[in-house]
């Protein structure tokens, strides 16, 4: 038995049968994010998702930091700033990138680097896949930045429902 929360074309989670280790599949903008590791250690994963939901409820997330750049270009610029070697801007670029990073939910999501930006009631999530093995198996992902947009309230509801399912509360019925 599995429970699907959300819409895979925006943001969705599919959770498998209960247990300490549980299958958790994430999608954003129709892209399967957990394709490299979809087994979550529930206590850690639940804590991380809960923290993200709480952060979003307190209006966490900032607007795009660079005026005039689209979300993909901002993601790429943040990645370049966080990867600079031995330059004065290395620490500042790394800190700026960390300010926007999201989906830091342990091994299940550590195959992507994701950023979240808030535009009033709308969230924009950008990500790329970075593991060499993943890119060899999915060459179409190399150099690609993906973008998902979702109303903040909708993402918070999905995350709250996910926490409830991980706690053993039956999930909402699929439409």
């Amino acid at each position: 038995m599995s429970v699907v929360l959300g819409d895979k074309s925006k943001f969705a989670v599919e959770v498998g049968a209960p247990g300490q280790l549980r299958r958790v599949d994430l999608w954003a903008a129709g892209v399967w994010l957990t394709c490299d590791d979809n087994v979550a250690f529930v206590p850690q994963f639940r804590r991380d998702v809960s923290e993200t939901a709480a952060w979003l409820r307190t209006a966490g997330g900032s607007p795009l930091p660079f005026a005039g750049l689209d979300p993909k270009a901002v993601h790429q610029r943040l990645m370049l700033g966080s990867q600079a070697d031995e330059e004065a801007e290395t620490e500042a670029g790394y800190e700026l990138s960390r300010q926007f990073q999201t989906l830091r939910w342990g091994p299940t999501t550590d195959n992507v680097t994701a950023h979240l930006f808030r535009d009033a009631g709308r969230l924009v999530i950008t990500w790329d896949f970075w593991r060499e093995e993943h890119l060899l198996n999915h060459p179409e992902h190399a150099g690609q930045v993906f973008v998902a947009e979702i109303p903040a309230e909708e993402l918070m509801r999905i995350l709250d429902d996910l926490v409830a399912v991980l706690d053993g509360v039956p999930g909402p019925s699929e439409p």
Side-chain angles (χ1 to χ4, degrees):
M1 176 193 95
S2 66
V3 176
V4 177
L5 308 166
D7 175 349
K8 291 179 183 179
S9 70
K10 291 188 218 171
F11 189 90
V13 183
E14 183 174 355
V15 184
Q20 281 284 84
L21 294 176
R22 203 160 179 183
R23 181 181 57 80
V24 177
D25 289 304
L26 299 173
W27 286 269
V31 177
W32 184 26
L33 300 178
T34 52
C35 53
D36 294 335
D37 180 358
N38 66 347
V39 178
F41 177 63
V42 172
Q44 171 266 317
F45 188 79
R46 184 208 176 281
R47 183 196 69 234
D48 293 345
V49 171
S50 292
E51 288 174 0
T52 300
W55 175 72
L56 289 171
R57 271 194 297 284
T58 60
S62 299
L64 291 165
F66 307 114
L69 294 182
D70 68 19
K72 285 184 180 186
V74 169
H75 179 92
Q76 291 168 326
R77 186 164 175 185
L78 288 171
M79 293 303 296
L80 287 173
S82 70
Q83 297 170 355
D85 285 327
E86 299 181 36
E87 294 179 14
E89 292 125 307
T90 301
E91 190 170 330
Y94 175 77
E95 288 304 317
L96 183 61
S97 180
R98 291 272 303 174
Q99 174 185 338
F100 295 96
Q101 283 186 4
T102 192
L103 303 181
R104 299 177 60 83
W105 299 341
T108 311
T109 58
D110 70 0
N111 61 323
V112 297
T113 300
H115 296 103
L116 181 141
F117 312 100
R118 185 182 285 266
D119 181 13
R122 181 179 68 102
L123 301 174
V124 177
I125 302 170
T126 62
W127 72 95
D128 63 1
F129 292 94
W130 63 268
R131 282 194 182 132
E132 185 175 342
E133 183 178 343
H134 175 91
L135 297 174
L136 289 172
N137 292 329
H138 302 276
E140 70 278 11
H141 292 167
Q144 177 122 2
V145 175
F146 300 91
V147 179
E149 296 185 24
I150 185 169
E153 290 294 325
E154 186 175 343
L155 183 57
M156 285 184 275
R157 180 185 44 74
I158 292 167
L159 298 182
D160 288 340
D161 288 347
L162 174 57
V163 169
V165 168
L166 294 173
D167 286 343
V169 177
S173 301
E174 293 185 65

